[in-house]
Amino acid sequence: MSAGVLPSEEAVNGLYGPTLLDEAEAIAVAIVATIDKVKLRVTMKPPAPNIKA
């Protein structure tokens, strides 16, 4: 699960199940994973240099 985080429909069915509730769980997991990736990028970004004029 790299680019879009959410796996294919077949993978969702295999990992979570075929119902709408299972699909909703997969989407929720993908949203949390995306937020974690964004937080990690923000955390690892170096601070801006202090420029004084």
Side-chain angles (χ1 to χ4, degrees):
M1 295 195 291
S2 58
V5 181
L6 186 63
S8 69
E9 182 179 354
E10 294 80 19
V12 168
N13 288 341
L15 293 169
Y16 298 95
T19 69
L20 287 177
L21 200 55
D22 298 324
E23 186 176 351
E25 182 181 2
I27 291 170
V29 168
I31 290 170
V32 171
T34 301
I35 290 170
D36 287 344
K37 287 171 79 174
V38 169
K39 281 183 180 178
L40 183 61
R41 268 191 246 134
V42 170
T43 303
M44 294 179 67
K45 186 177 179 182
N50 189 2
I51 301 173
K52 295 183 179 182

